[in-house]
PDB file of all heavy atoms in Angstrom:
ATOM      1  N   ALA J   1     -10.326  -5.480  -4.337  1.00  0.00           N
ATOM      2  CA  ALA J   1      -9.700  -4.507  -5.193  1.00  0.00           C
ATOM      3  C   ALA J   1      -8.727  -3.605  -4.314  1.00  0.00           C
ATOM      4  O   ALA J   1      -7.586  -3.280  -4.798  1.00  0.00           O
ATOM      5  CB  ALA J   1     -10.763  -3.640  -5.890  1.00  0.00           C
ATOM      6  N   ALA J   2      -9.151  -3.224  -3.157  1.00  0.00           N
ATOM      7  CA  ALA J   2      -8.388  -2.380  -2.248  1.00  0.00           C
ATOM      8  C   ALA J   2      -7.043  -3.142  -1.857  1.00  0.00           C
ATOM      9  O   ALA J   2      -5.934  -2.520  -1.808  1.00  0.00           O
ATOM     10  CB  ALA J   2      -9.130  -1.959  -1.095  1.00  0.00           C
ATOM     11  N   ALA J   3      -7.226  -4.431  -1.555  1.00  0.00           N
ATOM     12  CA  ALA J   3      -6.089  -5.148  -1.149  1.00  0.00           C
ATOM     13  C   ALA J   3      -5.024  -5.298  -2.278  1.00  0.00           C
ATOM     14  O   ALA J   3      -3.826  -5.225  -2.080  1.00  0.00           O
ATOM     15  CB  ALA J   3      -6.507  -6.613  -0.724  1.00  0.00           C
ATOM     16  N   VAL J   4      -5.529  -5.432  -3.492  1.00  0.00           N
ATOM     17  CA  VAL J   4      -4.671  -5.562  -4.704  1.00  0.00           C
ATOM     18  C   VAL J   4      -3.852  -4.250  -4.923  1.00  0.00           C
ATOM     19  O   VAL J   4      -2.706  -4.221  -5.152  1.00  0.00           O
ATOM     20  CB  VAL J   4      -5.422  -5.942  -5.913  1.00  0.00           C
ATOM     21  CG1 VAL J   4      -4.586  -5.788  -7.202  1.00  0.00           C
ATOM     22  CG2 VAL J   4      -5.946  -7.368  -5.819  1.00  0.00           C
ATOM     23  N   VAL J   5      -4.654  -3.110  -4.760  1.00  0.00           N
ATOM     24  CA  VAL J   5      -4.005  -1.794  -4.959  1.00  0.00           C
ATOM     25  C   VAL J   5      -2.950  -1.513  -3.904  1.00  0.00           C
ATOM     26  O   VAL J   5      -1.860  -1.062  -4.141  1.00  0.00           O
ATOM     27  CB  VAL J   5      -5.076  -0.704  -4.940  1.00  0.00           C
ATOM     28  CG1 VAL J   5      -4.457   0.684  -5.039  1.00  0.00           C
ATOM     29  CG2 VAL J   5      -5.989  -0.868  -6.187  1.00  0.00           C
ATOM     30  N   VAL J   6      -3.331  -1.821  -2.640  1.00  0.00           N
ATOM     31  CA  VAL J   6      -2.378  -1.612  -1.524  1.00  0.00           C
ATOM     32  C   VAL J   6      -1.092  -2.453  -1.727  1.00  0.00           C
ATOM     33  O   VAL J   6       0.027  -1.962  -1.584  1.00  0.00           O
ATOM     34  CB  VAL J   6      -3.022  -2.017  -0.138  1.00  0.00           C
ATOM     35  CG1 VAL J   6      -1.966  -2.110   0.901  1.00  0.00           C
ATOM     36  CG2 VAL J   6      -4.138  -1.022   0.205  1.00  0.00           C
ATOM     37  N   TYR J   7      -1.278  -3.707  -2.155  1.00  0.00           N
ATOM     38  CA  TYR J   7      -0.088  -4.497  -2.418  1.00  0.00           C
ATOM     39  C   TYR J   7       0.698  -3.972  -3.504  1.00  0.00           C
ATOM     40  O   TYR J   7       1.938  -3.959  -3.535  1.00  0.00           O
ATOM     41  CB  TYR J   7      -0.462  -5.991  -2.626  1.00  0.00           C
ATOM     42  CG  TYR J   7       0.664  -6.917  -2.791  1.00  0.00           C
ATOM     43  CD1 TYR J   7       1.378  -7.363  -1.659  1.00  0.00           C
ATOM     44  CD2 TYR J   7       1.162  -7.262  -4.012  1.00  0.00           C
ATOM     45  CE1 TYR J   7       2.438  -8.198  -1.768  1.00  0.00           C
ATOM     46  CE2 TYR J   7       2.299  -8.112  -4.146  1.00  0.00           C
ATOM     47  CZ  TYR J   7       2.925  -8.572  -2.966  1.00  0.00           C
ATOM     48  OH  TYR J   7       3.987  -9.341  -3.078  1.00  0.00           O
ATOM     49  N   GLY J   8       0.033  -3.492  -4.630  1.00  0.00           N
ATOM     50  CA  GLY J   8       0.760  -2.933  -5.751  1.00  0.00           C
ATOM     51  C   GLY J   8       1.519  -1.671  -5.385  1.00  0.00           C
ATOM     52  O   GLY J   8       2.710  -1.490  -5.751  1.00  0.00           O
ATOM     53  N   ILE J   9       0.942  -0.830  -4.514  1.00  0.00           N
ATOM     54  CA  ILE J   9       1.651   0.365  -4.093  1.00  0.00           C
ATOM     55  C   ILE J   9       2.880   0.010  -3.197  1.00  0.00           C
ATOM     56  O   ILE J   9       3.941   0.543  -3.395  1.00  0.00           O
ATOM     57  CB  ILE J   9       0.657   1.304  -3.266  1.00  0.00           C
ATOM     58  CG1 ILE J   9      -0.429   1.868  -4.192  1.00  0.00           C
ATOM     59  CG2 ILE J   9       1.436   2.430  -2.599  1.00  0.00           C
ATOM     60  CD1 ILE J   9      -1.486   2.549  -3.460  1.00  0.00           C
ATOM     61  N   SER J  10       2.598  -0.965  -2.311  1.00  0.00           N
ATOM     62  CA  SER J  10       3.761  -1.354  -1.416  1.00  0.00           C
ATOM     63  C   SER J  10       4.907  -2.047  -2.194  1.00  0.00           C
ATOM     64  O   SER J  10       5.980  -2.144  -1.744  1.00  0.00           O
ATOM     65  CB  SER J  10       3.239  -2.234  -0.306  1.00  0.00           C
ATOM     66  OG  SER J  10       2.648  -3.452  -0.841  1.00  0.00           O
ATOM     67  N   HIS J  11       4.510  -2.614  -3.395  1.00  0.00           N
ATOM     68  CA  HIS J  11       5.480  -3.333  -4.150  1.00  0.00           C
ATOM     69  C   HIS J  11       6.405  -2.361  -4.963  1.00  0.00           C
ATOM     70  O   HIS J  11       7.487  -2.769  -5.358  1.00  0.00           O
ATOM     71  CB  HIS J  11       4.819  -4.216  -5.199  1.00  0.00           C
ATOM     72  CG  HIS J  11       5.674  -5.309  -5.775  1.00  0.00           C
ATOM     73  ND1 HIS J  11       6.458  -5.066  -6.896  1.00  0.00           N
ATOM     74  CD2 HIS J  11       6.001  -6.572  -5.377  1.00  0.00           C
ATOM     75  CE1 HIS J  11       7.136  -6.148  -7.167  1.00  0.00           C
ATOM     76  NE2 HIS J  11       6.873  -7.064  -6.291  1.00  0.00           N
ATOM     77  N   VAL J  12       5.965  -1.083  -5.049  1.00  0.00           N
ATOM     78  CA  VAL J  12       6.822  -0.111  -5.809  1.00  0.00           C
ATOM     79  C   VAL J  12       8.120   0.102  -5.031  1.00  0.00           C
ATOM     80  O   VAL J  12       8.094   0.411  -3.878  1.00  0.00           O
ATOM     81  CB  VAL J  12       6.071   1.221  -5.932  1.00  0.00           C
ATOM     82  CG1 VAL J  12       6.929   2.317  -6.576  1.00  0.00           C
ATOM     83  CG2 VAL J  12       4.796   1.022  -6.747  1.00  0.00           C
ATOM     84  N   GLY J  13       9.208  -0.100  -5.684  1.00  0.00           N
ATOM     85  CA  GLY J  13      10.529   0.057  -5.034  1.00  0.00           C
ATOM     86  C   GLY J  13      10.931  -1.170  -4.242  1.00  0.00           C
ATOM     87  O   GLY J  13      12.023  -1.133  -3.663  1.00  0.00           O
ATOM     88  N   ALA J  14      10.157  -2.238  -4.316  1.00  0.00           N
ATOM     89  CA  ALA J  14      10.559  -3.415  -3.590  1.00  0.00           C
ATOM     90  C   ALA J  14      11.766  -4.120  -4.178  1.00  0.00           C
ATOM     91  O   ALA J  14      12.407  -4.861  -3.518  1.00  0.00           O
ATOM     92  CB  ALA J  14       9.404  -4.472  -3.594  1.00  0.00           C
ATOM     93  N   ALA J  15      12.093  -3.756  -5.410  1.00  0.00           N
ATOM     94  CA  ALA J  15      13.337  -4.381  -6.023  1.00  0.00           C
ATOM     95  C   ALA J  15      14.570  -3.965  -5.222  1.00  0.00           C
ATOM     96  O   ALA J  15      15.522  -4.694  -5.204  1.00  0.00           O
ATOM     97  CB  ALA J  15      13.405  -3.935  -7.468  1.00  0.00           C
ATOM     98  N   GLN J  16      14.554  -2.786  -4.626  1.00  0.00           N
ATOM     99  CA  GLN J  16      15.729  -2.321  -3.909  1.00  0.00           C
ATOM    100  C   GLN J  16      15.944  -3.065  -2.607  1.00  0.00           C
ATOM    101  O   GLN J  16      17.034  -3.259  -2.101  1.00  0.00           O
ATOM    102  CB  GLN J  16      15.672  -0.844  -3.666  1.00  0.00           C
ATOM    103  CG  GLN J  16      15.923   0.050  -4.895  1.00  0.00           C
ATOM    104  CD  GLN J  16      14.733   0.080  -5.814  1.00  0.00           C
ATOM    105  OE1 GLN J  16      13.603  -0.229  -5.439  1.00  0.00           O
ATOM    106  NE2 GLN J  16      14.970   0.487  -7.057  1.00  0.00           N
ATOM    107  N   CYS J  17      14.742  -3.435  -1.994  1.00  0.00           N
ATOM    108  CA  CYS J  17      14.826  -4.130  -0.640  1.00  0.00           C
ATOM    109  C   CYS J  17      14.641  -5.584  -0.723  1.00  0.00           C
ATOM    110  O   CYS J  17      14.764  -6.336   0.254  1.00  0.00           O
ATOM    111  CB  CYS J  17      13.896  -3.466   0.315  1.00  0.00           C
ATOM    112  SG  CYS J  17      12.168  -3.620  -0.164  1.00  0.00           S
ATOM    113  N   GLY J  18      14.250  -6.071  -1.968  1.00  0.00           N
ATOM    114  CA  GLY J  18      14.137  -7.500  -2.120  1.00  0.00           C
ATOM    115  C   GLY J  18      12.783  -8.025  -1.912  1.00  0.00           C
ATOM    116  O   GLY J  18      12.481  -9.130  -2.343  1.00  0.00           O
ATOM    117  N   SER J  19      11.905  -7.324  -1.199  1.00  0.00           N
ATOM    118  CA  SER J  19      10.527  -7.826  -0.941  1.00  0.00           C
ATOM    119  C   SER J  19       9.738  -6.700  -0.487  1.00  0.00           C
ATOM    120  O   SER J  19      10.165  -5.592  -0.157  1.00  0.00           O
ATOM    121  CB  SER J  19      10.536  -9.040   0.051  1.00  0.00           C
ATOM    122  OG  SER J  19      10.993  -8.512   1.362  1.00  0.00           O
ATOM    123  N   VAL J  20       8.422  -6.958  -0.337  1.00  0.00           N
ATOM    124  CA  VAL J  20       7.545  -6.001   0.220  1.00  0.00           C
ATOM    125  C   VAL J  20       7.731  -5.965   1.763  1.00  0.00           C
ATOM    126  O   VAL J  20       7.446  -6.989   2.416  1.00  0.00           O
ATOM    127  CB  VAL J  20       6.062  -6.358  -0.088  1.00  0.00           C
ATOM    128  CG1 VAL J  20       5.111  -5.323   0.535  1.00  0.00           C
ATOM    129  CG2 VAL J  20       5.835  -6.289  -1.577  1.00  0.00           C
ATOM    130  N   THR J  21       8.172  -4.824   2.310  1.00  0.00           N
ATOM    131  CA  THR J  21       8.474  -4.759   3.725  1.00  0.00           C
ATOM    132  C   THR J  21       7.185  -4.532   4.512  1.00  0.00           C
ATOM    133  O   THR J  21       6.211  -3.901   4.007  1.00  0.00           O
ATOM    134  CB  THR J  21       9.466  -3.685   4.004  1.00  0.00           C
ATOM    135  OG1 THR J  21       8.923  -2.391   3.700  1.00  0.00           O
ATOM    136  CG2 THR J  21      10.770  -3.904   3.200  1.00  0.00           C
ATOM    137  N   PRO J  22       7.155  -4.895   5.814  1.00  0.00           N
ATOM    138  CA  PRO J  22       5.906  -4.633   6.641  1.00  0.00           C
ATOM    139  C   PRO J  22       5.676  -3.159   6.767  1.00  0.00           C
ATOM    140  O   PRO J  22       4.499  -2.745   6.743  1.00  0.00           O
ATOM    141  CB  PRO J  22       6.347  -5.244   8.008  1.00  0.00           C
ATOM    142  CG  PRO J  22       7.378  -6.309   7.689  1.00  0.00           C
ATOM    143  CD  PRO J  22       8.164  -5.759   6.433  1.00  0.00           C
ATOM    144  N   VAL J  23       6.706  -2.337   6.861  1.00  0.00           N
ATOM    145  CA  VAL J  23       6.521  -0.851   7.016  1.00  0.00           C
ATOM    146  C   VAL J  23       5.868  -0.310   5.741  1.00  0.00           C
ATOM    147  O   VAL J  23       4.921   0.455   5.756  1.00  0.00           O
ATOM    148  CB  VAL J  23       7.814  -0.140   7.260  1.00  0.00           C
ATOM    149  CG1 VAL J  23       7.645   1.390   7.258  1.00  0.00           C
ATOM    150  CG2 VAL J  23       8.450  -0.637   8.600  1.00  0.00           C
ATOM    151  N   ARG J  24       6.384  -0.735   4.546  1.00  0.00           N
ATOM    152  CA  ARG J  24       5.839  -0.199   3.285  1.00  0.00           C
ATOM    153  C   ARG J  24       4.319  -0.653   3.148  1.00  0.00           C
ATOM    154  O   ARG J  24       3.504   0.075   2.704  1.00  0.00           O
ATOM    155  CB  ARG J  24       6.666  -0.720   2.115  1.00  0.00           C
ATOM    156  CG  ARG J  24       6.119  -0.218   0.743  1.00  0.00           C
ATOM    157  CD  ARG J  24       7.018  -0.632  -0.365  1.00  0.00           C
ATOM    158  NE  ARG J  24       8.224   0.228  -0.477  1.00  0.00           N
ATOM    159  CZ  ARG J  24       9.419  -0.098  -0.145  1.00  0.00           C
ATOM    160  NH1 ARG J  24       9.688  -1.246   0.301  1.00  0.00           N
ATOM    161  NH2 ARG J  24      10.449   0.782  -0.249  1.00  0.00           N
ATOM    162  N   LEU J  25       4.030  -1.870   3.531  1.00  0.00           N
ATOM    163  CA  LEU J  25       2.726  -2.401   3.472  1.00  0.00           C
ATOM    164  C   LEU J  25       1.751  -1.555   4.341  1.00  0.00           C
ATOM    165  O   LEU J  25       0.673  -1.233   3.967  1.00  0.00           O
ATOM    166  CB  LEU J  25       2.668  -3.845   3.802  1.00  0.00           C
ATOM    167  CG  LEU J  25       1.380  -4.614   3.692  1.00  0.00           C
ATOM    168  CD1 LEU J  25       0.910  -4.671   2.257  1.00  0.00           C
ATOM    169  CD2 LEU J  25       1.479  -6.043   4.280  1.00  0.00           C
ATOM    170  N   ALA J  26       2.204  -1.371   5.634  1.00  0.00           N
ATOM    171  CA  ALA J  26       1.372  -0.541   6.569  1.00  0.00           C
ATOM    172  C   ALA J  26       1.118   0.848   6.077  1.00  0.00           C
ATOM    173  O   ALA J  26      -0.012   1.355   6.170  1.00  0.00           O
ATOM    174  CB  ALA J  26       2.008  -0.562   7.934  1.00  0.00           C
ATOM    175  N   LEU J  27       2.133   1.460   5.490  1.00  0.00           N
ATOM    176  CA  LEU J  27       2.020   2.861   5.039  1.00  0.00           C
ATOM    177  C   LEU J  27       1.093   2.917   3.800  1.00  0.00           C
ATOM    178  O   LEU J  27       0.223   3.822   3.750  1.00  0.00           O
ATOM    179  CB  LEU J  27       3.345   3.442   4.644  1.00  0.00           C
ATOM    180  CG  LEU J  27       4.369   3.722   5.825  1.00  0.00           C
ATOM    181  CD1 LEU J  27       5.667   4.161   5.286  1.00  0.00           C
ATOM    182  CD2 LEU J  27       3.730   4.730   6.747  1.00  0.00           C
ATOM    183  N   ALA J  28       1.134   1.987   2.938  1.00  0.00           N
ATOM    184  CA  ALA J  28       0.298   1.904   1.733  1.00  0.00           C
ATOM    185  C   ALA J  28      -1.128   1.706   2.207  1.00  0.00           C
ATOM    186  O   ALA J  28      -2.080   2.340   1.647  1.00  0.00           O
ATOM    187  CB  ALA J  28       0.764   0.781   0.789  1.00  0.00           C
ATOM    188  N   GLY J  29      -1.353   0.844   3.155  1.00  0.00           N
ATOM    189  CA  GLY J  29      -2.702   0.600   3.699  1.00  0.00           C
ATOM    190  C   GLY J  29      -3.312   1.813   4.368  1.00  0.00           C
ATOM    191  O   GLY J  29      -4.466   2.185   4.129  1.00  0.00           O
ATOM    192  N   ALA J  30      -2.465   2.520   5.159  1.00  0.00           N
ATOM    193  CA  ALA J  30      -2.945   3.777   5.826  1.00  0.00           C
ATOM    194  C   ALA J  30      -3.317   4.834   4.770  1.00  0.00           C
ATOM    195  O   ALA J  30      -4.328   5.489   4.957  1.00  0.00           O
ATOM    196  CB  ALA J  30      -1.861   4.319   6.759  1.00  0.00           C
ATOM    197  N   ALA J  31      -2.493   4.967   3.756  1.00  0.00           N
ATOM    198  CA  ALA J  31      -2.803   5.931   2.723  1.00  0.00           C
ATOM    199  C   ALA J  31      -4.124   5.609   1.983  1.00  0.00           C
ATOM    200  O   ALA J  31      -4.938   6.494   1.708  1.00  0.00           O
ATOM    201  CB  ALA J  31      -1.678   6.015   1.723  1.00  0.00           C
ATOM    202  N   MET J  32      -4.339   4.332   1.649  1.00  0.00           N
ATOM    203  CA  MET J  32      -5.524   3.862   1.018  1.00  0.00           C
ATOM    204  C   MET J  32      -6.766   4.129   1.904  1.00  0.00           C
ATOM    205  O   MET J  32      -7.827   4.644   1.429  1.00  0.00           O
ATOM    206  CB  MET J  32      -5.384   2.406   0.642  1.00  0.00           C
ATOM    207  CG  MET J  32      -6.656   1.837   0.017  1.00  0.00           C
ATOM    208  SD  MET J  32      -7.047   2.554  -1.591  1.00  0.00           S
ATOM    209  CE  MET J  32      -5.644   1.985  -2.535  1.00  0.00           C
ATOM    210  N   ASN J  33      -6.654   3.829   3.143  1.00  0.00           N
ATOM    211  CA  ASN J  33      -7.747   4.048   4.102  1.00  0.00           C
ATOM    212  C   ASN J  33      -8.094   5.517   4.147  1.00  0.00           C
ATOM    213  O   ASN J  33      -9.321   5.914   4.079  1.00  0.00           O
ATOM    214  CB  ASN J  33      -7.368   3.633   5.487  1.00  0.00           C
ATOM    215  CG  ASN J  33      -7.506   2.083   5.635  1.00  0.00           C
ATOM    216  OD1 ASN J  33      -8.362   1.414   5.018  1.00  0.00           O
ATOM    217  ND2 ASN J  33      -6.670   1.487   6.488  1.00  0.00           N
ATOM    218  N   ALA J  34      -7.127   6.378   4.275  1.00  0.00           N
ATOM    219  CA  ALA J  34      -7.437   7.835   4.366  1.00  0.00           C
ATOM    220  C   ALA J  34      -8.069   8.335   3.098  1.00  0.00           C
ATOM    221  O   ALA J  34      -8.995   9.115   3.199  1.00  0.00           O
ATOM    222  CB  ALA J  34      -6.067   8.560   4.650  1.00  0.00           C
ATOM    223  N   MET J  35      -7.595   7.953   1.941  1.00  0.00           N
ATOM    224  CA  MET J  35      -8.130   8.401   0.710  1.00  0.00           C
ATOM    225  C   MET J  35      -9.555   7.949   0.486  1.00  0.00           C
ATOM    226  O   MET J  35     -10.455   8.756   0.149  1.00  0.00           O
ATOM    227  CB  MET J  35      -7.243   8.026  -0.464  1.00  0.00           C
ATOM    228  CG  MET J  35      -7.741   8.465  -1.831  1.00  0.00           C
ATOM    229  SD  MET J  35      -6.748   7.771  -3.209  1.00  0.00           S
ATOM    230  CE  MET J  35      -7.278   6.129  -3.186  1.00  0.00           C
ATOM    231  N   LEU J  36      -9.753   6.667   0.666  1.00  0.00           N
ATOM    232  CA  LEU J  36     -11.102   6.143   0.427  1.00  0.00           C
ATOM    233  C   LEU J  36     -12.135   6.675   1.364  1.00  0.00           C
ATOM    234  O   LEU J  36     -13.305   6.966   0.966  1.00  0.00           O
ATOM    235  CB  LEU J  36     -11.116   4.619   0.390  1.00  0.00           C
ATOM    236  CG  LEU J  36     -10.327   3.920  -0.704  1.00  0.00           C
ATOM    237  CD1 LEU J  36     -10.390   2.373  -0.568  1.00  0.00           C
ATOM    238  CD2 LEU J  36     -10.864   4.394  -2.105  1.00  0.00           C
ATOM    239  N   PHE J  37     -11.846   6.747   2.624  1.00  0.00           N
ATOM    240  CA  PHE J  37     -12.790   7.223   3.631  1.00  0.00           C
ATOM    241  C   PHE J  37     -13.063   8.712   3.407  1.00  0.00           C
ATOM    242  O   PHE J  37     -14.185   9.211   3.732  1.00  0.00           O
ATOM    243  CB  PHE J  37     -12.329   6.995   5.056  1.00  0.00           C
ATOM    244  CG  PHE J  37     -12.566   5.561   5.468  1.00  0.00           C
ATOM    245  CD1 PHE J  37     -11.555   4.835   5.959  1.00  0.00           C
ATOM    246  CD2 PHE J  37     -13.896   5.055   5.488  1.00  0.00           C
ATOM    247  CE1 PHE J  37     -11.803   3.496   6.381  1.00  0.00           C
ATOM    248  CE2 PHE J  37     -14.118   3.732   5.875  1.00  0.00           C
ATOM    249  CZ  PHE J  37     -13.079   2.971   6.318  1.00  0.00           C
ATOM    250  N   ALA J  38     -12.117   9.478   2.878  1.00  0.00           N
ATOM    251  CA  ALA J  38     -12.334  10.883   2.543  1.00  0.00           C
ATOM    252  C   ALA J  38     -13.374  10.948   1.418  1.00  0.00           C
ATOM    253  O   ALA J  38     -14.314  11.776   1.372  1.00  0.00           O
ATOM    254  CB  ALA J  38     -11.055  11.579   2.166  1.00  0.00           C
ATOM    255  N   ILE J  39     -13.204  10.114   0.403  1.00  0.00           N
ATOM    256  CA  ILE J  39     -14.146  10.180  -0.719  1.00  0.00           C
ATOM    257  C   ILE J  39     -15.522   9.723  -0.283  1.00  0.00           C
ATOM    258  O   ILE J  39     -16.599  10.265  -0.698  1.00  0.00           O
ATOM    259  CB  ILE J  39     -13.614   9.232  -1.830  1.00  0.00           C
ATOM    260  CG1 ILE J  39     -12.325   9.714  -2.411  1.00  0.00           C
ATOM    261  CG2 ILE J  39     -14.677   9.095  -3.025  1.00  0.00           C
ATOM    262  CD1 ILE J  39     -11.728   8.712  -3.399  1.00  0.00           C
ATOM    263  N   ILE J  40     -15.596   8.721   0.590  1.00  0.00           N
ATOM    264  CA  ILE J  40     -16.877   8.220   1.116  1.00  0.00           C
ATOM    265  C   ILE J  40     -17.568   9.337   1.885  1.00  0.00           C
ATOM    266  O   ILE J  40     -18.743   9.570   1.683  1.00  0.00           O
ATOM    267  CB  ILE J  40     -16.640   6.996   2.068  1.00  0.00           C
ATOM    268  CG1 ILE J  40     -16.213   5.775   1.267  1.00  0.00           C
ATOM    269  CG2 ILE J  40     -17.918   6.716   2.836  1.00  0.00           C
ATOM    270  CD1 ILE J  40     -15.817   4.621   2.114  1.00  0.00           C
TER     271      ILE J  40
END
């Protein structure tokens, strides 16, 4: 579920750059990690 959400977040705005970029993917993953571990 987390992987799907991260990919979905990183896909936002991908139409402008043509694909999911590595930077966008890393940032989405970092944000997901921070949020979930805070809730935990």
Side-chain angles (χ1 to χ4, degrees):
V4 170
V5 173
V6 167
Y7 185 79
I9 295 173
S10 63
H11 195 275
V12 175
Q16 286 76 19
C17 61
S19 64
V20 177
T21 65
V23 173
R24 181 176 279 109
L25 185 64
L27 290 176
M32 177 63 67
N33 281 329
M35 182 185 70
L36 291 183
F37 279 124
I39 298 174
I40 290 171

